Amino acid sequence: MRIPMARLLLVGVLTGCAQSSWAGLQFQTEHYRVGIEIIAEGLSHPWSIAFLPEDEQLVTERDGRLRLIQQGRLHPDPVAGVPQVAAVGQGGLLDVVLHPEFEQNRWVYLSYSDQTNEGLTTRVMRARFQDHALQDAELLFEALPRTSGGRHFGGRMVFDPAGFLYLSVGDRGEMEKAQQGLDHAGSIIRLHDDGRIPEDNPFTGDSSVLDEIYTLGNRNPQGMALHPQTGEVWSNEHGPRGGDEINRIQAGLNYGWPKVTQGVNYSGTRITEHSDLPGMEPPLLDWTPSIAPSGMLFYTGDEFPGWRGQILNGALRDRLISRVSITGQADAYQLQEEERMLQGFAQRIRDIRQSPEGEIWLLTDQNPGQVVRLRRIDN
């Protein structure tokens, strides 16, 4: 089925792929005309954004800086107290999320890549955000064992309604790790907010799987979001050449990588004969060819009411937003890609978030990169 593409409506002059080409532009989707507003620019590969009270936002730069936007203006000085990160390959300062009770405790959580003589890994820390600084820092988790590769750090985080913290850890470019239960790579991790391991994690007490692991067989999840009705964690995941996925994350399941995939090696050779196997959880949606999905959200706002309950995925390789509808429920969900938006701007979209006001915010994976807001333009 042909996926409809959003149409660009020029306001002013479009100057190729230059950063200034975003400013003053509109585009037409299946339902809405949408305007593009640049909130902040000049950032180095912005990776994630979190919405604070009083119209403020925290933005991570992959090079290792945490930035604050106040009332639409980028603070000139980075936030102090950020840990040293290893900005190696795809690594660096990655996700930023707020504790569910942030207004009371001021806890901010960061995921990032770290390097020692033993290699690289994905870490999670938390600290209190006060006086434009991170204070009382605590290291909560690091994926082990370390490895030398600079790929597939994962790093996406989300809190569920019960207050558990979920973290994606990629396979680190070594696909077999995703099926090795004594290696955190290629999994979804579940923790208490202070880093303790929940007693009801699915593999607690199983000597063949690390207690922090919630799911196995995940190649490199780059987006995670909560289903607005069930509160369940869903993720999108990079395949190799083909085989990008959307998955419903369920305790103890194995999502198959690399024993099961729709994709092939970048060289074109086969990874496996199998697109499904007993005991391996199939994806709810598969993108082949790949779009390289990034951040994702379930839209619940009022700005774009026709998209409520649908998933919006950013994309790196195809530089677009993929809008996906959901029908059915529980074990009978059916997903359908309905529309591809923003093709033609030629900028990698690293993250996509919904603001408390129901607007859609994007981060462009560029240097210099931008924070962009999308707003409906009424006829």
mmCIF file of all heavy atoms in Angstrom, residues 274-308:
data_model
loop_
_atom_site.group_PDB
_atom_site.id
_atom_site.type_symbol
_atom_site.label_atom_id
_atom_site.label_comp_id
_atom_site.label_asym_id
_atom_site.label_seq_id
_atom_site.Cartn_x
_atom_site.Cartn_y
_atom_site.Cartn_z
ATOM 1 N N HIS A 274 15.123 -17.284 9.332
ATOM 2 C CA HIS A 274 13.838 -17.260 10.030
ATOM 3 C C HIS A 274 13.288 -15.840 10.183
ATOM 4 O O HIS A 274 13.987 -14.941 10.643
ATOM 5 C CB HIS A 274 13.988 -17.884 11.419
ATOM 6 C CG HIS A 274 14.539 -19.274 11.386
ATOM 7 N ND1 HIS A 274 13.846 -20.339 10.862
ATOM 8 C CD2 HIS A 274 15.738 -19.761 11.811
ATOM 9 C CE1 HIS A 274 14.574 -21.438 10.960
ATOM 10 N NE2 HIS A 274 15.731 -21.109 11.530
ATOM 11 N N SER A 275 12.025 -15.686 9.833
ATOM 12 C CA SER A 275 11.301 -14.455 10.143
ATOM 13 C C SER A 275 10.396 -14.655 11.350
ATOM 14 O O SER A 275 9.831 -13.695 11.872
ATOM 15 C CB SER A 275 10.468 -14.001 8.941
ATOM 16 O OG SER A 275 9.558 -15.024 8.548
ATOM 17 N N ASP A 276 10.236 -15.895 11.804
ATOM 18 C CA ASP A 276 9.539 -16.191 13.048
ATOM 19 C C ASP A 276 10.000 -17.553 13.553
ATOM 20 O O ASP A 276 10.427 -18.410 12.784
ATOM 21 C CB ASP A 276 8.018 -16.167 12.865
ATOM 22 C CG ASP A 276 7.555 -17.205 11.851
ATOM 23 O OD1 ASP A 276 7.372 -18.378 12.236
ATOM 24 O OD2 ASP A 276 7.373 -16.847 10.671
ATOM 25 N N LEU A 277 9.936 -17.715 14.856
ATOM 26 C CA LEU A 277 10.314 -18.966 15.515
ATOM 27 C C LEU A 277 9.479 -19.126 16.775
ATOM 28 O O LEU A 277 9.114 -18.124 17.416
ATOM 29 C CB LEU A 277 11.800 -18.956 15.903
ATOM 30 C CG LEU A 277 12.849 -19.271 14.838
ATOM 31 C CD1 LEU A 277 14.244 -19.069 15.421
ATOM 32 C CD2 LEU A 277 12.699 -20.682 14.293
ATOM 33 N N PRO A 278 9.173 -20.351 17.196
ATOM 34 C CA PRO A 278 8.491 -20.546 18.474
ATOM 35 C C PRO A 278 9.308 -19.954 19.621
ATOM 36 O O PRO A 278 10.531 -20.061 19.662
ATOM 37 C CB PRO A 278 8.415 -22.078 18.593
ATOM 38 C CG PRO A 278 8.511 -22.584 17.188
ATOM 39 C CD PRO A 278 9.416 -21.614 16.480
ATOM 40 N N GLY A 279 8.619 -19.300 20.529
ATOM 41 C CA GLY A 279 9.277 -18.694 21.675
ATOM 42 C C GLY A 279 9.842 -17.321 21.423
ATOM 43 O O GLY A 279 10.386 -16.694 22.340
ATOM 44 N N MET A 280 9.736 -16.814 20.197
ATOM 45 C CA MET A 280 10.212 -15.483 19.845
ATOM 46 C C MET A 280 9.010 -14.584 19.552
ATOM 47 O O MET A 280 8.133 -14.949 18.756
ATOM 48 C CB MET A 280 11.122 -15.530 18.618
ATOM 49 C CG MET A 280 12.316 -16.464 18.763
ATOM 50 S SD MET A 280 13.506 -15.846 19.955
ATOM 51 C CE MET A 280 14.701 -17.196 20.000
ATOM 52 N N GLU A 281 8.966 -13.420 20.186
ATOM 53 C CA GLU A 281 7.823 -12.516 20.048
ATOM 54 C C GLU A 281 7.920 -11.736 18.745
ATOM 55 O O GLU A 281 8.901 -11.028 18.502
ATOM 56 C CB GLU A 281 7.773 -11.550 21.227
ATOM 57 C CG GLU A 281 6.564 -10.634 21.241
ATOM 58 C CD GLU A 281 5.266 -11.365 21.539
ATOM 59 O OE1 GLU A 281 5.307 -12.550 21.914
ATOM 60 O OE2 GLU A 281 4.203 -10.720 21.415
ATOM 61 N N PRO A 282 6.914 -11.835 17.855
ATOM 62 C CA PRO A 282 6.963 -11.093 16.591
ATOM 63 C C PRO A 282 6.661 -9.613 16.807
ATOM 64 O O PRO A 282 5.966 -9.243 17.758
ATOM 65 C CB PRO A 282 5.875 -11.762 15.747
ATOM 66 C CG PRO A 282 4.891 -12.267 16.757
ATOM 67 C CD PRO A 282 5.720 -12.679 17.956
ATOM 68 N N PRO A 283 7.158 -8.750 15.944
ATOM 69 C CA PRO A 283 6.855 -7.319 16.066
ATOM 70 C C PRO A 283 5.411 -7.024 15.707
ATOM 71 O O PRO A 283 4.777 -7.756 14.945
ATOM 72 C CB PRO A 283 7.823 -6.669 15.081
ATOM 73 C CG PRO A 283 8.062 -7.723 14.046
ATOM 74 C CD PRO A 283 8.052 -9.022 14.795
ATOM 75 N N LEU A 284 4.903 -5.926 16.255
ATOM 76 C CA LEU A 284 3.577 -5.453 15.884
ATOM 77 C C LEU A 284 3.585 -4.765 14.532
ATOM 78 O O LEU A 284 2.567 -4.727 13.837
ATOM 79 C CB LEU A 284 3.048 -4.493 16.949
ATOM 80 C CG LEU A 284 2.831 -5.092 18.339
ATOM 81 C CD1 LEU A 284 2.431 -3.999 19.324
ATOM 82 C CD2 LEU A 284 1.779 -6.181 18.305
ATOM 83 N N LEU A 285 4.724 -4.197 14.169
ATOM 84 C CA LEU A 285 4.889 -3.554 12.865
ATOM 85 C C LEU A 285 6.335 -3.706 12.455
ATOM 86 O O LEU A 285 7.233 -3.644 13.294
ATOM 87 C CB LEU A 285 4.481 -2.080 12.919
ATOM 88 C CG LEU A 285 4.567 -1.287 11.607
ATOM 89 C CD1 LEU A 285 3.392 -0.335 11.461
ATOM 90 C CD2 LEU A 285 5.884 -0.503 11.536
ATOM 91 N N ASP A 286 6.548 -3.895 11.169
ATOM 92 C CA ASP A 286 7.889 -4.051 10.607
ATOM 93 C C ASP A 286 8.056 -3.055 9.469
ATOM 94 O O ASP A 286 7.173 -2.917 8.625
ATOM 95 C CB ASP A 286 8.050 -5.489 10.088
ATOM 96 C CG ASP A 286 9.261 -5.652 9.200
ATOM 97 O OD1 ASP A 286 10.351 -5.886 9.744
ATOM 98 O OD2 ASP A 286 9.123 -5.524 7.966
ATOM 99 N N TRP A 287 9.172 -2.329 9.496
ATOM 100 C CA TRP A 287 9.529 -1.465 8.366
ATOM 101 C C TRP A 287 10.640 -2.136 7.554
ATOM 102 O O TRP A 287 11.780 -2.267 8.038
ATOM 103 C CB TRP A 287 10.058 -0.117 8.828
ATOM 104 C CG TRP A 287 9.073 0.866 9.350
ATOM 105 C CD1 TRP A 287 8.217 1.648 8.631
ATOM 106 C CD2 TRP A 287 8.893 1.262 10.714
ATOM 107 N NE1 TRP A 287 7.514 2.478 9.458
ATOM 108 C CE2 TRP A 287 7.908 2.263 10.745
ATOM 109 C CE3 TRP A 287 9.479 0.856 11.920
ATOM 110 C CZ2 TRP A 287 7.488 2.873 11.922
ATOM 111 C CZ3 TRP A 287 9.063 1.446 13.099
ATOM 112 C CH2 TRP A 287 8.076 2.442 13.089
ATOM 113 N N THR A 288 10.340 -2.569 6.378
ATOM 114 C CA THR A 288 11.351 -3.043 5.439
ATOM 115 C C THR A 288 10.989 -2.468 4.079
ATOM 116 O O THR A 288 9.913 -2.768 3.563
ATOM 117 C CB THR A 288 11.386 -4.586 5.375
ATOM 118 O OG1 THR A 288 11.708 -5.102 6.679
ATOM 119 C CG2 THR A 288 12.420 -5.068 4.380
ATOM 120 N N PRO A 289 11.797 -1.600 3.505
ATOM 121 C CA PRO A 289 13.121 -1.134 3.928
ATOM 122 C C PRO A 289 13.075 -0.329 5.234
ATOM 123 O O PRO A 289 12.025 0.132 5.654
ATOM 124 C CB PRO A 289 13.578 -0.248 2.755
ATOM 125 C CG PRO A 289 12.646 -0.525 1.633
ATOM 126 C CD PRO A 289 11.390 -1.011 2.217
ATOM 127 N N SER A 290 14.251 -0.169 5.828
ATOM 128 C CA SER A 290 14.373 0.530 7.100
ATOM 129 C C SER A 290 14.103 2.023 6.948
ATOM 130 O O SER A 290 14.432 2.630 5.919
ATOM 131 C CB SER A 290 15.792 0.352 7.655
ATOM 132 O OG SER A 290 16.039 -0.977 8.006
ATOM 133 N N ILE A 291 13.537 2.605 8.013
ATOM 134 C CA ILE A 291 13.490 4.070 8.130
ATOM 135 C C ILE A 291 14.447 4.554 9.212
ATOM 136 O O ILE A 291 14.673 5.742 9.349
ATOM 137 C CB ILE A 291 12.068 4.571 8.421
ATOM 138 C CG1 ILE A 291 11.596 4.096 9.806
ATOM 139 C CG2 ILE A 291 11.093 4.158 7.330
ATOM 140 C CD1 ILE A 291 10.331 4.791 10.293
ATOM 141 N N ALA A 292 14.997 3.625 10.023
ATOM 142 C CA ALA A 292 15.850 3.940 11.183
ATOM 143 C C ALA A 292 15.075 4.779 12.190
ATOM 144 O O ALA A 292 15.344 5.964 12.396
ATOM 145 C CB ALA A 292 17.138 4.634 10.771
ATOM 146 N N PRO A 293 14.086 4.170 12.887
ATOM 147 C CA PRO A 293 13.258 4.933 13.815
ATOM 148 C C PRO A 293 14.059 5.456 14.993
ATOM 149 O O PRO A 293 15.031 4.846 15.438
ATOM 150 C CB PRO A 293 12.211 3.906 14.266
ATOM 151 C CG PRO A 293 12.888 2.582 14.110
ATOM 152 C CD PRO A 293 13.760 2.734 12.896
ATOM 153 N N SER A 294 13.612 6.607 15.499
ATOM 154 C CA SER A 294 14.281 7.242 16.646
ATOM 155 C C SER A 294 13.261 7.401 17.760
ATOM 156 O O SER A 294 12.628 6.429 18.151
ATOM 157 C CB SER A 294 14.917 8.560 16.210
ATOM 158 O OG SER A 294 13.958 9.399 15.603
ATOM 159 N N GLY A 295 13.076 8.617 18.290
ATOM 160 C CA GLY A 295 12.092 8.812 19.340
ATOM 161 C C GLY A 295 10.691 8.467 18.882
ATOM 162 O O GLY A 295 10.380 8.474 17.682
ATOM 163 N N MET A 296 9.830 8.141 19.834
ATOM 164 C CA MET A 296 8.435 7.826 19.515
ATOM 165 C C MET A 296 7.524 8.351 20.615
ATOM 166 O O MET A 296 7.951 8.569 21.750
ATOM 167 C CB MET A 296 8.233 6.317 19.354
ATOM 168 C CG MET A 296 8.392 5.494 20.618
ATOM 169 S SD MET A 296 8.159 3.706 20.380
ATOM 170 C CE MET A 296 6.391 3.597 20.103
ATOM 171 N N LEU A 297 6.264 8.567 20.255
ATOM 172 C CA LEU A 297 5.256 8.984 21.227
ATOM 173 C C LEU A 297 3.904 8.433 20.823
ATOM 174 O O LEU A 297 3.657 8.141 19.650
ATOM 175 C CB LEU A 297 5.206 10.509 21.360
ATOM 176 C CG LEU A 297 4.835 11.342 20.128
ATOM 177 C CD1 LEU A 297 3.311 11.470 19.948
ATOM 178 C CD2 LEU A 297 5.430 12.749 20.238
ATOM 179 N N PHE A 298 3.039 8.257 21.824
ATOM 180 C CA PHE A 298 1.610 8.079 21.590
ATOM 181 C C PHE A 298 0.982 9.462 21.712
ATOM 182 O O PHE A 298 1.095 10.110 22.759
ATOM 183 C CB PHE A 298 0.993 7.161 22.642
ATOM 184 C CG PHE A 298 1.280 5.702 22.442
ATOM 185 C CD1 PHE A 298 2.404 5.120 23.008
ATOM 186 C CD2 PHE A 298 0.414 4.898 21.706
ATOM 187 C CE1 PHE A 298 2.666 3.777 22.846
ATOM 188 C CE2 PHE A 298 0.665 3.551 21.537
ATOM 189 C CZ PHE A 298 1.794 2.982 22.101
ATOM 190 N N TYR A 299 0.309 9.910 20.668
ATOM 191 C CA TYR A 299 -0.234 11.259 20.729
ATOM 192 C C TYR A 299 -1.553 11.261 21.489
ATOM 193 O O TYR A 299 -2.457 10.459 21.209
ATOM 194 C CB TYR A 299 -0.434 11.847 19.330
ATOM 195 C CG TYR A 299 -0.804 13.307 19.423
ATOM 196 C CD1 TYR A 299 0.159 14.247 19.762
ATOM 197 C CD2 TYR A 299 -2.113 13.728 19.253
ATOM 198 C CE1 TYR A 299 -0.176 15.579 19.922
ATOM 199 C CE2 TYR A 299 -2.452 15.059 19.404
ATOM 200 C CZ TYR A 299 -1.476 15.984 19.742
ATOM 201 O OH TYR A 299 -1.805 17.293 19.911
ATOM 202 N N THR A 300 -1.679 12.183 22.467
ATOM 203 C CA THR A 300 -2.881 12.274 23.299
ATOM 204 C C THR A 300 -3.412 13.700 23.413
ATOM 205 O O THR A 300 -4.353 13.944 24.176
ATOM 206 C CB THR A 300 -2.586 11.751 24.721
ATOM 207 O OG1 THR A 300 -1.545 12.547 25.322
ATOM 208 C CG2 THR A 300 -2.148 10.284 24.698
ATOM 209 N N GLY A 301 -2.836 14.647 22.672
ATOM 210 C CA GLY A 301 -3.146 16.052 22.885
ATOM 211 C C GLY A 301 -4.351 16.554 22.103
ATOM 212 O O GLY A 301 -5.026 15.821 21.377
ATOM 213 N N ASP A 302 -4.596 17.866 22.240
ATOM 214 C CA ASP A 302 -5.707 18.536 21.569
ATOM 215 C C ASP A 302 -5.278 19.274 20.311
ATOM 216 O O ASP A 302 -6.130 19.671 19.513
ATOM 217 C CB ASP A 302 -6.360 19.538 22.526
ATOM 218 C CG ASP A 302 -7.005 18.853 23.725
ATOM 219 O OD1 ASP A 302 -7.469 17.700 23.566
ATOM 220 O OD2 ASP A 302 -7.030 19.461 24.814
ATOM 221 N N GLU A 303 -3.968 19.499 20.125
ATOM 222 C CA GLU A 303 -3.501 20.272 18.976
ATOM 223 C C GLU A 303 -3.823 19.558 17.661
ATOM 224 O O GLU A 303 -4.178 20.189 16.675
ATOM 225 C CB GLU A 303 -1.991 20.504 19.103
ATOM 226 C CG GLU A 303 -1.402 21.387 18.008
ATOM 227 C CD GLU A 303 -1.574 22.878 18.281
ATOM 228 O OE1 GLU A 303 -2.165 23.226 19.323
ATOM 229 O OE2 GLU A 303 -1.119 23.678 17.456
ATOM 230 N N PHE A 304 -3.702 18.215 17.667
ATOM 231 C CA PHE A 304 -3.962 17.413 16.469
ATOM 232 C C PHE A 304 -4.927 16.280 16.833
ATOM 233 O O PHE A 304 -4.530 15.114 16.939
ATOM 234 C CB PHE A 304 -2.654 16.848 15.917
ATOM 235 C CG PHE A 304 -1.607 17.881 15.612
ATOM 236 C CD1 PHE A 304 -0.579 18.149 16.513
ATOM 237 C CD2 PHE A 304 -1.647 18.611 14.438
ATOM 238 C CE1 PHE A 304 0.382 19.100 16.243
ATOM 239 C CE2 PHE A 304 -0.689 19.579 14.153
ATOM 240 C CZ PHE A 304 0.324 19.821 15.052
ATOM 241 N N PRO A 305 -6.206 16.587 17.043
ATOM 242 C CA PRO A 305 -7.138 15.593 17.589
ATOM 243 C C PRO A 305 -7.305 14.361 16.707
ATOM 244 O O PRO A 305 -7.588 13.277 17.217
ATOM 245 C CB PRO A 305 -8.448 16.367 17.734
ATOM 246 C CG PRO A 305 -8.299 17.562 16.841
ATOM 247 C CD PRO A 305 -6.859 17.896 16.849
ATOM 248 N N GLY A 306 -7.122 14.489 15.400
ATOM 249 C CA GLY A 306 -7.261 13.344 14.511
ATOM 250 C C GLY A 306 -6.181 12.303 14.681
ATOM 251 O O GLY A 306 -6.299 11.190 14.139
ATOM 252 N N TRP A 307 -5.119 12.639 15.416
ATOM 253 C CA TRP A 307 -4.017 11.704 15.629
ATOM 254 C C TRP A 307 -4.038 11.080 17.015
ATOM 255 O O TRP A 307 -3.137 10.323 17.361
ATOM 256 C CB TRP A 307 -2.678 12.420 15.425
ATOM 257 C CG TRP A 307 -2.478 12.953 14.039
ATOM 258 C CD1 TRP A 307 -3.194 12.644 12.916
ATOM 259 C CD2 TRP A 307 -1.496 13.911 13.633
ATOM 260 N NE1 TRP A 307 -2.724 13.348 11.834
ATOM 261 C CE2 TRP A 307 -1.682 14.133 12.242
ATOM 262 C CE3 TRP A 307 -0.484 14.596 14.301
ATOM 263 C CZ2 TRP A 307 -0.876 15.009 11.512
ATOM 264 C CZ3 TRP A 307 0.310 15.473 13.581
ATOM 265 C CH2 TRP A 307 0.117 15.672 12.197
ATOM 266 N N ARG A 308 -5.058 11.373 17.820
ATOM 267 C CA ARG A 308 -5.083 10.844 19.172
ATOM 268 C C ARG A 308 -5.055 9.319 19.158
ATOM 269 O O ARG A 308 -5.752 8.676 18.386
ATOM 270 C CB ARG A 308 -6.327 11.323 19.916
ATOM 271 C CG ARG A 308 -6.282 12.767 20.329
ATOM 272 C CD ARG A 308 -7.371 13.075 21.356
ATOM 273 N NE ARG A 308 -7.552 14.521 21.497
ATOM 274 C CZ ARG A 308 -8.640 15.176 21.131
ATOM 275 N NH1 ARG A 308 -9.667 14.524 20.587
ATOM 276 N NH2 ARG A 308 -8.711 16.484 21.298
#
